[in-house]
Amino acid sequence: MDYLKGYRVFREDPEWVNKLLIGSMLLLSAMVVPLLGQLALVGWHALIMRRAVHGQDAPLPDLELNLDYLGKLVGLGFKGMIARFLWSLPVIALVLGLGLCLYVGIFTLVLGGVATAAESGESASVAGILAGACCAFGGYFAVMVISITATIPA
């Protein structure tokens, strides 16, 4: 599998700079009109994938600031966004479940440290809080690694 093929095909297009600038403008348009620029880019990506499936890697499909064309891209991008969301639902459920377990574990450790501090002394509470901080850092790292690897197919 050639992972960098998309970057090479993009750079081989004679109008790649123009398409990069228009794509950047569409992303920045989210500050004015939310979601429309992103939907147009998702539609453009869907066109790229359709052409790649049929063996037409280069040149890339047009990306121009024509309102009719952008409207068609937004319609195609809406379907793509729905497909991405549905594909990501299991990952979202997994990350939310792991996050919930992480928070329950942290609160249990911290409250256990506070309870031991009330009984014995100050050093036990510091150990409970440090254990909670270590679990929080490790848990956040694990949740991020799992969510990034699980969303790669999406």
Side-chain angles (χ1 to χ4, degrees), residues 110-126:
V110 170
L111 290 177
V114 169
T116 1
E119 289 180 13
S120 62
E122 196 173 303
S123 63
S125 69
V126 172

Side-chain angles (χ1 to χ4, degrees), residues 39-98:
L39 286 175
L41 283 178
V42 170
W44 188 59
H45 292 160
L47 283 179
I48 292 172
M49 286 187 276
R50 283 182 184 177
R51 291 179 67 163
V53 165
H54 295 333
Q56 298 174 336
D57 289 336
L60 295 174
D62 290 335
L63 185 61
E64 53 194 40
L65 293 177
N66 181 357
L67 290 180
D68 291 333
Y69 183 66
L70 287 176
K72 291 177 184 178
L73 287 180
V74 166
L76 188 59
F78 183 73
K79 294 175 188 175
M81 189 74 79
I82 295 295
R84 283 183 184 183
F85 176 72
L86 292 176
W87 186 262
S88 300
L89 275 177
V91 175
I92 293 169
L94 175 70
V95 169
L96 286 176
L98 288 173

